[in-house]
Amino acid sequence: MDVIDFSRNAITTEEELRDIIGAPHDLVMKKTISIIDDHCKKFIEMSPLFFLSTSNADGTCDVSPRGDMPSSITILNKHQLVIPDRPGNRRLDSIKNILSNPHVGLVFLIPGLEDVLRINGRATIINDEKILANMSLKGKPPLLGIGVEVEECFIHCPRALKESNIWNKDTWKNKEELPTLMEIFHAHLKINGVEVKK
C-alpha cells in the first residue's frame, strides 16, 4: 500500500473536533480530582499492572508497561506517590524522557476489573535511600524511584476493556498461532542488519 498523506484530511483545531464529536457532559468533566483519595489509594494498592506514559522535550512519546506486586507503589500522601524503578533492560526510555520533560500519565489496571484509574502529573527521578528501602522486593530495594506529583486523578469508564473482552479467556488467541518473543526479537535485529547465530 502506498504511503498515505494524513495531512489531506487532518483535523487541526479544537473547534473542528467539537463540530464532529460535540461537548462532554458536565459530570464527565467534574469527575477529575487533584488528590489521591481513599478510593484511588485502594485502586492503586490492588493494581499489579500499570502503564507509564512519557515524552521527551521534543515531544517524542513512549508508553511502558510496569508490573509488580500489588501495593508496590508507595503513596506518601494525597498528592504524591513513588514508583519503584527496578532493574530491567537498561534502555531507560521512561527515565530519560522524564529528565527532559516531567509530565507523565499513568493507567492502572486490576485483573478482572474493566474500570481503570488514570493519573496525570509531574515526575522526578529520586534516589532517596529511606523511601527506596521501604520498597524492597525479595530483600532488594529498587535502584531508583519515580516520584509523581499528582495533578489529575480520575476513574475511566469500562468501555475499552469491556469491548476488547480482555479478561474473557474464551476470546484469547492460541499462543501457538503467534510468533515467539525470540522470533520477533531476531526478526527485528535482522531488519537492523544484525544476524544472531542459532
Side-chain angles (χ1 to χ4, degrees):
M1 178 183 278
D2 294 334
V3 175
I4 303 298
D5 179 7
F6 287 131
S7 67
R8 287 184 305 179
N9 298 301
I11 302 298
T12 59
T13 67
E14 183 173 347
E15 184 178 10
E16 291 176 287
L17 281 175
R18 293 302 178 195
D19 285 343
I20 297 170
I21 306 299
H25 192 282
D26 190 46
L27 295 180
V28 173
M29 298 303 294
K30 289 183 177 176
K31 71 178 181 177
T32 302
I33 59 177
S34 60
I35 61 169
I36 305 170
D37 71 349
D38 290 340
H39 298 296
C40 296
K41 182 175 184 289
K42 185 68 173 176
F43 200 108
I44 294 168
E45 289 173 345
M46 292 180 65
S47 173
L49 173 67
F50 68 96
F51 294 85
L52 172 63
S53 173
T54 61
S55 66
N56 65 20
D58 296 329
T60 302
C61 298
D62 181 72
V63 178
S64 172
R66 300 289 179 118
D68 212 322
M69 298 295 292
S71 295
S72 64
I73 291 176
T74 295
I75 299 171
L76 298 175
N77 50 57
K78 290 185 175 183
H79 301 281
Q80 297 174 307
L81 59 83
V82 180
I83 301 164
D85 192 63
R86 306 201 190 277
N89 60 17
R90 300 178 183 167
R91 281 181 55 103
L92 303 178
D93 297 309
S94 302
I95 299 292
K96 289 189 300 182
N97 282 349
I98 291 169
L99 289 177
S100 65
N101 178 359
H103 298 283
V104 297
L106 307 168
V107 173
F108 292 90
L109 287 83
I110 297 173
L113 188 66
E114 292 171 337
D115 307 301
V116 301
L117 177 68
R118 292 171 57 181
I119 290 180
N120 297 313
R122 298 172 67 88
T124 303
I125 310 305
I126 65 169
N127 190 16
D128 185 308
E129 291 184 7
K130 185 177 179 181
I131 292 176
L132 298 181
N134 290 328
M135 306 175 83
S136 294
L137 179 65
K138 297 179 181 178
K140 293 184 178 180
L143 299 177
L144 297 169
I146 301 172
V148 178
E149 309 271 351
V150 173
E151 295 175 338
E152 291 185 312
C153 194
F154 57 97
I155 203 75
H156 192 95
C157 75
R159 182 176 179 181
L161 272 67
K162 192 181 189 77
E163 293 297 323
S164 70
N165 277 312
I166 189 69
W167 306 125
N168 182 358
K169 289 185 179 180
D170 295 336
T171 67
W172 293 359
K173 300 296 183 185
N174 183 349
K175 291 182 181 179
E176 294 177 0
E177 298 176 11
L178 302 171
T180 66
L181 173 65
M182 291 309 295
E183 287 172 336
I184 297 171
F185 182 53
H186 288 168
H188 290 181
L189 288 175
K190 189 174 182 180
I191 289 172
N192 286 323
V194 179
E195 291 281 356
V196 178
K197 294 181 180 179
K198 297 182 180 179

